[in-house]
């Protein structure tokens, strides 16, 4: 299995756990610092080789790019975010979403099974 690979159900659990930890530690934000995303993933016991899935959801596109450039990696923010969102949605509901939106700006669809811990009010 290549680095960064996660099955769709595992991505859902990972993104949910990291998001919950970020909100618990830092409150609701459109985007989080990469160091905060990494600490949240680490505190939940996830290996560093899958953090990129959280970076593409919770960090800015610029931060995502900087992380990968510093590591000498070439990763496509748009492709990764699209893949995560497609894995999170049944039937490809995210095909038309602007991938540059923060996770808090996603359209009004039922994500309760992913973000049960998040108060949308």
């Amino acid at each position: 299995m290549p680095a960064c690979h996660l099955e769709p159900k595992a991505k859902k659990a990972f993104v949910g756990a990291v998001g919950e930890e970020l909100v618990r530690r830092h409150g609701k934000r459109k985007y989080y610092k990469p160091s905060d995303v990494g600490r949240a993933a680490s505190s939940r016991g996830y290996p560093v080789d899958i953090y990129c899935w959280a970076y593409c959801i919770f960090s800015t596109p610029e931060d995502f790019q900087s992380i990968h450039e510093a590591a000498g990696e070439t990763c496509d923010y748009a492709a990764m975010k699209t893949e995560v969102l497609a894995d999170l949605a049944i039937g490809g509901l995210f095909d038309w979403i602007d991938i540059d939106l923060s996770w808090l700006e996603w359209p009004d669809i039922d994500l309760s099974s992913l973000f049960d811990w998040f108060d949308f009010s």
Side-chain angles (χ1 to χ4, degrees), residues 6-21 44 46 50 58 84 87-88 113-115 117:
L6 279 177
E7 296 297 322
K9 286 183 183 181
K11 275 187 209 145
K12 182 177 180 177
F14 174 61
V15 169
V18 173
E20 182 179 285
E21 189 68 23
R44 292 295 179 109
Y46 288 100
I50 64 167
F58 299 111
V84 171
D87 286 344
L88 297 179
S113 64
L114 174 63
F115 296 109
W117 49 269

Side-chain angles (χ1 to χ4, degrees), residues 3-4 49 52 55 64-76:
C4 265
D49 63 335
C52 52
Y55 293 139
F64 178 89
Q65 188 68 27
S66 294
I67 292 164
H68 289 89
E69 284 176 358
E73 301 170 341
T74 304
C75 291
D76 185 332

Side-chain angles (χ1 to χ4, degrees), residues 58-119:
F58 299 111
S59 297
T60 66
E62 297 80 17
D63 283 341
F64 178 89
Q65 188 68 27
S66 294
I67 292 164
H68 289 89
E69 284 176 358
E73 301 170 341
T74 304
C75 291
D76 185 332
Y77 171 84
M80 286 190 73
K81 191 164 187 178
T82 298
E83 183 176 333
V84 171
L85 297 178
D87 286 344
L88 297 179
I90 296 172
L93 294 175
F94 287 108
D95 288 346
W96 49 269
I97 289 181
D98 178 358
I99 59 154
D100 290 327
L101 294 177
S102 117
W103 68 289
L104 291 175
E105 298 172 307
W106 293 347
D108 186 21
I109 58 175
D110 183 17
L111 295 174
S112 60
S113 64
L114 174 63
F115 296 109
D116 288 339
W117 49 269
F118 190 79
D119 179 13

